[in-house]
Amino acid sequence: MSEAQRRQEPKFAVIGAGMSGILAAIKLKEAGYAFQVFEKADEVGGTWRENTYPGIACDVPSHLYSYSFALNPDWSHFSSPGGEIQTYFEDITKRYEVGASIRFGDPVVRCEWLDGRWEVETSAGYRDVFDWVIAATGILHHPSYPDIGGQASFEGALFHSARWDHTVPLDGQRVGVIGTGSTGVQITGALAHRASHYSLFQRTAQWVLPIEQKAYTQDEREAFRTDADLLRKIHDELSIAFNDGFATSVLDGDSEMIQNIETQCRENLETQLPDPELRERLRPNYRAACKRLVISHNFYAGIQHPNAELVTTDIERIEARGVRTTDGRLHELDVLVLATGFHADQFMRPMTIKGRDGRLLDDVWEKRPSAYMSVAVPGFPNFFMMNGPNSPVGNFSLIQTAEMQFAYVMKLVESVRRGDLDVAIPEPEAARRFEEERVEAAKKTVWATGCRSWYLDDRGIPFAWPFPFSRFRAEMAEPKLEDYERAS
Ligand code: NAP
């Protein structure tokens, strides 16, 4: 094929078959492009395939956490369980017939820009060349194991929350969980009453926003099934409420809505925890929504179960029989779960990504990952990320974000096809300007008001998109071609 023909009929590699990768596959298929999806695991689903811990759910309302083109009338709850979300992605993959384009069980190990195209290689040695690469590898997929000694000496079952061992019995067992992020909180609500003794090891208390876990009735689901306008209306209303509400409020640490959220969290704490001693140990000493806000209908009930214990003394080490805290006490356990989060700065890595002039992404990101407009990196032509660095991970619905980012990439594909650009590659100066502006805005967000969280980079600056939803939508709707290298 000649270069001119290739420009008109480009071929795409999509890395990852989670929420963003499935979306890319569906849209590329609809547009009639040739593409190949690479998936390291044996199933689609990404985070929903990997996280199967008891109590897993998505606290983003289900009718918003759905593709805009495939709304689902059958969600069981306002915030539906993880298994149901996984089934949704599996069903969509079948319904849109993109499964056959996914190469399963073979992770990509290298992407290299050679002679104006991307050579992609997998761990099994499969190689092919593509004109565009879309990295849809997700953000929270490298478990973070705590730096606590003695893990190998534990004689019970020990695993990370994202690597749940379902062969291990839980009922009537002595279960310990380290971590009180969204994961540890959901596990506590679901598991505390099942264990003979449940120990939750808390390093930092969390603000907990209460939510009513509404189950949709058969009648309501039937109404959603038969009335597409009603289903669209609930999606759109949630979208407006979320994007004009929470997503805007976090941009200013002193905003009225953040103060309202803090008031609701405080009332939740004061009214749901009658024991003053437990209440004080669960009271955070930082601003609500500084860390990723925990939303829960059952955490406080879980931690107040007669079998549950909140441990706030620091952990000294893990021993054969349990966890030893610095007060000398041994908390004896049969099962120990590390709900200790993820390395949020890895993205596609450890894959080798070599751009123009042999430039390695690892070198470019040596200090920290960064991306122009959250999607592209100077020096890496026709290489785009979905939910990559500087994406709105803490504020908007990730599905809406991915849909807008994908539409942005398609606009650039059109620019290359028209000949406005030789390849889509952001100018370093444009990326520098964007990053400078982004950092200044990030410092004003609630995430920067003084807490430890995975939203912060190595400098303590929030790495997420710090501008309003309206700006993200506008930027993604029309790429600024002046920020890209022009055709020669
Ligand atoms: P996380 O928010 O990073 O929380 C990790 C927890 O482990 C924190 O409580 C942390 O304490 C604790 N920890 C880490 N190292 C420790 C150590 N050495 N000793 C004691 N404690 C330690 O991780 P996550 O709960 O898995 O959640 C990650 C993200 O996944 C969430 O923020 C959210 O974006 C997403 N998520 C979403 C949902 C949903 O419903 N949509 C559900 C689950 C997860 P410190 O606070 O002191 O650091």
Side-chain angles (χ1 to χ4, degrees):
M1 200 189 273
S2 71
E3 204 180 315
Q5 243 177 321
R6 271 209 342 256
R7 212 182 245 276
Q8 292 310 315
E9 297 170 39
K11 186 169 146 198
F12 294 76
V14 177
I15 309 176
M19 175 276 289
S20 308
I22 297 168
L23 164 76
I26 293 169
K27 294 289 169 190
L28 288 169
K29 184 170 183 239
E30 273 173 10
Y33 287 122
F35 67 95
Q36 172 72 58
V37 183
F38 295 89
E39 169 53 54
K40 66 181 175 190
D42 295 331
E43 278 178 75
V44 300
T47 199
W48 302 106
R49 179 195 64 235
E50 292 193 357
N51 287 276
T52 57
Y53 57 80
I56 184 165
C58 184
D59 57 17
V60 175
S62 296
H63 284 287
L64 181 59
Y65 195 81
S66 311
Y67 295 125
S68 63
F69 55 88
L71 300 182
N72 175 18
D74 289 314
W75 291 121
S76 66
H77 288 80
F78 186 71
S79 298
S80 297
E84 215 177 296
I85 301 170
Q86 172 65 12
T87 303
Y88 171 74
F89 288 119
E90 288 171 10
D91 287 350
I92 294 280
T93 305
K94 285 192 197 114
R95 197 193 316 164
Y96 288 85
E97 297 179 347
V98 290
S101 306
I102 306 173
R103 185 182 167 85
F104 285 106
D106 190 12
V108 170
V109 292
R110 181 177 62 89
C111 299
E112 189 168 354
W113 182 254
L114 290 168
D115 302 325
R117 296 186 90 191
W118 285 101
E119 183 172 276
V120 174
E121 184 180 356
T122 68
S123 79
Y126 173 91
R127 277 187 205 182
D128 201 352
V129 282
F130 300 88
D131 302 290
W132 296 75
V133 173
I134 296 178
T137 51
I139 173 164
L140 300 174
H141 58 117
H142 291 286
S144 169
Y145 288 85
D147 186 16
I148 301 172
Q151 290 176 42
S153 68
F154 184 58
E155 287 172 354
L158 181 151
F159 44 83
H160 190 275
S161 54
R163 300 285 180 270
W164 199 274
D165 182 347
H166 289 277
T167 64
V168 173
L170 301 168
D171 293 296
Q173 301 295 299
R174 297 166 302 175
V175 180
V177 173
I178 301 178
T180 52
S182 302
T183 302
V185 161
Q186 288 183 344
I187 295 172
T188 301
L191 200 52
H193 64 278
R194 290 174 55 190
S196 63
H197 189 81
Y198 181 84
S199 311
L200 179 64
F201 296 90
Q202 169 187 285
R203 186 166 69 179
T204 310
Q206 287 277 9
W207 287 112
V208 180
L209 186 70
I211 187 176
E212 194 196 343
Q213 177 51 315
K214 178 186 158 43
Y216 290 112
T217 63
Q218 283 303 336
D219 286 351
E220 282 171 314
R221 289 194 235 172
E222 181 58 23
F224 290 141
R225 229 173 277 135
T226 50
D227 185 349
D229 291 343
L230 181 65
L231 194 55
R232 172 69 48 199
K233 186 165 169 269
I234 185 169
H235 170 272
D236 294 352
E237 281 173 0
L238 284 166
S239 169
I240 291 168
F242 210 75
N243 296 322
D244 292 349
F246 182 71
T248 308
S249 70
V250 293
L251 306 181
D252 169 10
D254 294 322
S255 68
E256 202 180 319
M257 185 158 181
I258 285 293
Q259 289 175 27
N260 285 342
I261 288 174
E262 193 158 315
T263 304
Q264 285 179 58
C265 292
R266 207 178 289 282
E267 275 172 18
N268 194 28
L269 181 93
E270 304 292 351
T271 56
Q272 299 306 309
L273 295 160
D275 174 355
E277 197 253 328
L278 180 64
R279 187 165 66 226
E280 289 321 303
R281 291 201 294 138
L282 283 167
R283 187 187 297 277
N285 61 0
Y286 55 88
R287 303 282 312 280
C290 179
K291 281 173 174 289
R292 200 283 193 184
L293 190 63
V294 165
I295 303 170
S296 175
H297 66 288
N298 61 5
F299 173 61
Y300 286 157
I303 200 60
Q304 290 180 94
H305 190 275
N307 297 350
E309 179 183 3
L310 178 74
V311 182
T312 49
T313 310
D314 289 346
I315 296 171
E316 187 166 310
R317 62 178 177 274
I318 295 168
E319 299 183 359
R321 289 189 297 135
V323 170
R324 177 86 60 184
T325 41
T326 53
D327 54 4
R329 185 174 157 202
L330 177 67
H331 302 258
E332 294 202 31
L333 299 168
D334 303 304
V335 182
L336 179 57
V337 179
L338 309 175
T340 45
F342 301 86
H343 294 287
D345 60 352
Q346 292 304 294
F347 298 98
M348 301 80 75
R349 297 178 287 180
M351 206 179 286
T352 299
I353 299 165
K354 208 182 255 192
R356 203 163 61 181
D357 307 324
R359 198 168 191 199
L360 285 170
L361 188 68
D362 260 342
D363 291 342
V364 177
W365 282 359
E366 194 189 354
K367 279 195 189 144
R368 69 194 67 91
S370 168
Y372 166 75
M373 288 295 161
S374 80
V375 288
V377 183
F380 295 80
N382 295 359
F383 189 101
F384 285 81
M385 292 167 289
M386 294 168 77
N387 284 307
N390 314 141
S391 279
V393 289
N395 27 356
F396 313 160
S397 152
L398 291 193
I399 295 196
Q400 281 188 310
T401 297
E403 288 190 11
M404 289 186 279
Q405 288 172 330
F406 186 80
Y408 178 94
V409 178
M410 285 299 102
K411 293 250 170 175
L412 288 168
V413 170
E414 283 311 310
S415 299
V416 171
R417 290 182 71 192
R418 275 197 311 270
D420 298 341
L421 306 175
D422 282 336
V423 287
I425 184 164
E427 292 277 8
E429 180 52 25
R432 194 197 55 74
R433 264 199 324 268
F434 170 74
E435 178 62 2
E436 220 172 75
E437 193 196 353
R438 192 196 64 76
V439 164
E440 282 317 302
K443 288 179 186 165
K444 298 188 188 106
T445 61
V446 71
W447 308 315
T449 52
C451 63
R452 171 175 47 204
S453 88
W454 66 266
Y455 286 173
L456 303 179
D457 68 16
D458 58 305
R459 302 165 293 181
I461 295 172
F463 60 73
W465 179 268
F467 309 115
F469 182 76
S470 53
R471 170 145 181 210
F472 190 73
R473 190 172 42 200
E475 297 281 12
M476 293 298 109
E478 213 44 72
K480 292 187 174 109
L481 288 194
E482 64 274 23
D483 285 354
Y484 283 82
E485 287 183 16
R486 301 314 291 256
S488 45

